[in-house]
Amino acid sequence: MSDTMKAVDIEGGKGPRSALHITSVPRPKPTSSQALVRIKAFGLNRMDLLQREGMYPVPPQASKILGVEFSGIIEELGADGGGRENFNVGDEVFGLAYGGAYAEYIAVSTHMLVRKPAELSWEQCAGIPETWITATQAMYLISHFAPGKTILWHAAASSVSIAGIQLSRADGAAAVYATARQDEKCDFVVKELGATAAFNTTTQNWSEEVLKATDGKGVDIIVDYIGAPYFGDNLNALARDGVCVSLAVMGGSKLPEGVDVSAFVRKRISFVGSSLRSRDEEYQGKLRDQLVEHALPRFKDGRFKILVDTVLPWEKIQEAHQLMEENKTKGKIICTIS
């Protein structure tokens, strides 16, 4: 096996999507607890855009190569062998990594690998790890979701919210609400995913609509990626003892003047920020295990939908980043490596 491989690099270390190109780099070597996986497909995530532009705090153990989720075939195992899952060379897997997935090969902990079900394609599996584990983290570890609670997912047609809406419905939410900026996306999450209702944030006062839908009570949990522009409305839409989980600040981080924060006291609201990539392997591994136990059977029998919007060969990585920047997709953008 060659000591080099092809990977997506960023000219100058950071820049616009036009800086992305495929070049030769050293092939990683697995440590004792890792596997070397030959990648068949990788998923895009919004953090990739930020990292490309030099605006994402990359963990110190992460490869400088973009990408955190992938599917592929084990080519080599470290000295400790296949780990507790007893993986073997030739096994088909998918997994989560701290970075390095935009490449022909990746070295990753065997604890973060999952066996690829025969029922799912390489493209579907490459779109599971970051998306579904993030949704699981927000629901269970951060907001302490339980059956009978109500929940709202912003950016309804994003991959994490698509996963979260399905998880919420399957696990007994009393109602599942969502927001999006387009009527088409609102209709999609209600008709295709079974959300109770969805509200257009560009044409409706969505927080007032939530209060109407809940008879003035509000929702128990909000999962937010937008940040400052939705901050005040999130407080308005939350129920007493409600929790807002902030996973990103896509709309900005500076609060507008005049935001009323009295709801924190009045309604005993909790506002919790979180991220997945900065967590240690033990934390991520527990979520991986929960994904395998809780969601994998539902992927296999079709109860959970893995929605892939677009599949492109990795030679079109600039086009893939453009699609994500345009915010027009519903579900994952996946790149394949032939």
Side-chain angles (χ1 to χ4, degrees):
M1 185 183 295
S2 171
D3 290 334
T4 63
M5 66 175 183
K6 298 292 186 182
V8 175
D9 196 11
I10 308 167
E11 185 176 358
K14 63 179 180 179
R17 62 177 179 268
S18 58
L20 297 172
H21 64 283
I22 296 175
T23 188
S24 292
V25 300
R27 178 176 57 81
K29 297 179 180 179
T31 64
S32 60
S33 61
Q34 291 182 325
L36 182 71
V37 177
R38 177 165 57 87
I39 294 178
K40 300 285 288 184
F42 59 83
L44 272 66
N45 292 281
R46 201 156 293 277
M47 74 177 81
D48 301 346
L49 306 184
L50 295 173
Q51 184 178 338
R52 187 199 73 208
E53 295 171 350
M55 299 170 60
Y56 189 92
V58 180
Q61 70 271 43
S63 165
K64 71 171 186 176
I65 298 169
L66 300 174
V68 298
E69 58 183 352
F70 61 91
S71 60
I73 301 170
I74 294 178
E75 290 280 313
E76 184 181 333
L77 289 165
D80 291 347
R84 66 178 190 176
E85 299 292 334
N86 295 315
F87 287 114
N88 295 297
V89 171
D91 283 350
E92 298 179 348
V93 295
F94 63 94
L96 182 68
Y98 287 106
Y102 286 27
E104 290 182 313
Y105 294 92
I106 189 169
V108 63
S109 167
T110 56
H111 191 193
M112 297 311 299
L113 294 177
V114 180
R115 296 183 189 278
K116 175 187 172 294
E119 296 89 345
L120 302 179
S121 68
W122 293 114
E123 293 84 359
Q124 287 175 309
C125 287
I128 291 174
E130 172 68 18
T131 295
W132 285 82
I133 288 177
T134 296
T136 299
Q137 176 198 28
M139 280 182 63
Y140 297 103
L141 272 65
I142 307 301
S143 67
H144 304 294
F145 172 85
K149 289 192 174 185
T150 54
I151 188 167
L152 181 144
W153 296 84
H154 284 306
S158 69
S159 296
V160 174
S161 287
I162 287 172
I165 290 166
Q166 294 181 77
L167 284 166
S168 303
R169 291 189 67 242
D171 292 348
V176 183
Y177 300 103
T179 70
R181 291 186 292 177
Q182 301 168 25
D183 286 339
E184 178 190 0
K185 291 183 177 182
C186 289
D187 292 341
F188 162 74
V189 297
V190 172
K191 294 175 181 177
E192 298 294 326
L193 301 180
T196 307
F199 310 108
N200 188 324
T201 59
T202 61
T203 61
Q204 294 176 283
N205 184 329
W206 67 265
S207 69
E208 291 299 324
E209 293 298 325
V210 169
L211 291 175
K212 289 178 187 176
T214 58
D215 296 323
K217 178 185 176 183
V219 290
D220 298 311
I221 298 167
I222 293 177
V223 182
D224 179 47
Y225 323 89
I226 309 303
Y230 287 9
F231 187 84
D233 283 326
N234 283 337
L235 299 183
N236 187 47
L238 278 167
R240 181 170 292 178
D241 296 315
V243 180
C244 180
V245 182
S246 176
L247 299 180
V249 287
M250 291 163 45
S253 60
K254 303 294 185 182
L255 291 180
E257 187 176 350
V259 171
D260 183 0
V261 299
S262 64
F264 280 108
V265 178
R266 243 180 331 104
K267 297 197 281 187
R268 301 192 297 264
I269 285 172
S270 299
F271 188 94
V272 187
S274 188
S275 66
L276 178 61
R277 196 175 182 185
S278 62
R279 304 285 190 171
D280 61 33
E281 187 181 309
E282 182 180 359
Y283 180 98
Q284 291 191 4
K286 290 178 181 177
L287 286 166
R288 174 261 180 213
D289 294 345
Q290 188 168 351
L291 175 78
V292 170
E293 295 166 9
H294 185 65
L296 195 60
R298 291 168 172 166
F299 293 139
K300 291 180 180 180
D301 64 20
R303 283 178 289 169
F304 281 165
K305 300 176 183 178
I306 306 164
L307 297 178
V308 175
D309 185 280
T310 304
V311 177
L312 293 168
W314 75 322
E315 290 85 356
K316 294 187 176 181
I317 188 62
Q318 292 184 14
E319 183 178 332
H321 272 231
Q322 180 179 355
L323 281 173
M324 179 156 280
E325 290 169 347
E326 291 173 347
N327 292 318
K328 294 179 180 178
T329 55
K330 297 189 290 291
K332 295 296 294 190
I333 301 169
I334 303 294
C335 287
T336 56
I337 302 177
S338 58

